[in-house]
Amino acid sequence: MNKLSYGLISLLSTKPMTGYDLTLRINRFWQSTHSAIYPLLSELEEKGYVKFEEKKQFDKPDKKIYSLTDKGMELLGEWFISETSPPVVRDEMSFKLSCMHLMDDDLVEKFLDEVERRYNKKLEEYKKALEVMSLKSRESLEDAFSTYFGAYVLTQRAMNEVILGLEWCKWVRSIYKNKQFQLINQNFKR
Amino acid sequence: MNKLSYGLISLLSTKPMTGYDLTLRINRFWQSTHSAIYPLLSELEEKGYVKFEEKKQFDKPDKKIYSLTDKGMELLGEWFISETSPPVVRDEMSFKLSCMHLMDDDLVEKFLDEVERRYNKKLEEYKKALEVMSLKSRESLEDAFSTYFGAYVLTQRAMNEVILGLEWCKWVRSIYKNKQFQLINQNFKR
DNA sequence: GTGAGCATGTAACTCGTTACATGATTCT
DNA sequence: AGAATCATGTAACGAGTTACATGCTCAC
């Protein structure tokens, strides 16, 4: 049982899904592809934590709808109270910062443009995700009993993180532009 | 040349360092251990991007001080203007959120306690790192020419991210505590 | 007709982690 | 006496990515 396996049963606790659905859902906060997910689902099924129902389709490929078993539900509870391992973050961007002081101003500006574009794209994604959620959910999203609750609070955090990222870009730019002149502190620091 | 290799030459562009130093420095924004770094350093040396000077020590083990070659410097420039690959984030915590709605209130509270402890620990780390930087650097840290500039802006961002994380925890708690009563929106949403 | 979406699966490969290996000094 | 720091390295393993493989429908 690796972390991704627990992630799969955790997502399945919100509702039964196919491996394809899980792949789409999981990508927002855990990089992985279907090639990693399908074998793990089979393993979970063998171990009895999940079961699946095969559904024939005629216009689309047949699919397997996975859901949690009682044994899987039990495992979920044990995992939830176990220690959470620290996050793994690997961002090439942060490496580029280390040599920024050696690069020409126009190159740094282009780099910051790219970073901002990246953040803005993410922002749109999250906004859309929240819209979709509020359409699908009958209850308020701020209902702690709703199956969307986890996704909702997670997306809110991610959204605020990218907004912070955009503020940070502005702040870095301001230092950069004023490097020979006086400093204008745009209040990024707290 | 993988991303970590570029990270190594980027860090070496700030000052010559040993593999041991690089390991310590890199850990703040890229999970990896010395076992991954030493072989890559040898490879970079073989390819002529870095060179090292062996330094004998008597109280401590001998060490190899690595620095960038002209060829390495050229590569650094090419890499800096190349497209930055998107960040990889894997946080077990985000998986736990998905099944939060099924867990008892006290378990959720304990989970949030753990998350907060984690953020607070990080906050202390970053504060200390900033202190050390300002002691070591002769110039102002907000000098875009300083070799500490990259580390400084990166640490500021990381620090603001954990502060945001702590606010987020409070917000989630507030929803949780008031689930049967009326909602108190603590203004986390923007 | 070309690409995107739906849907599942395997094989080879790359990258990172854990464990093994060594050894002196310093702090608790 | 035991743990932490400094300092380098290799081997086995685990996890994730890229590429291979198939095939039908719908929109542009």
Side-chain angles (χ1 to χ4, degrees), chain B residues 20 34-35 38 57 61 63-64 90:
Chain B
Y20 187 85
H34 71 277
S35 327
Y38 286 121
Q57 293 187 124
K63 59 183 179 181
K64 293 177 177 177
R90 294 201 183 95

Side-chain angles (χ1 to χ4, degrees), chain A residues 166-188:
Chain A
L166 287 167
E167 279 171 30
W168 176 81
C169 284
K170 269 192 210 163
W171 177 67
V172 175
R173 270 182 211 279
S174 78
I175 301 180
Y176 233 87
K177 277 190 184 141
N178 298 286
K179 51 182 187 179
Q180 291 101 331
F181 314 106
Q182 87 266 38
L183 300 169
I184 297 173
N185 192 325
Q186 292 216 353
N187 210 33
F188 180 78

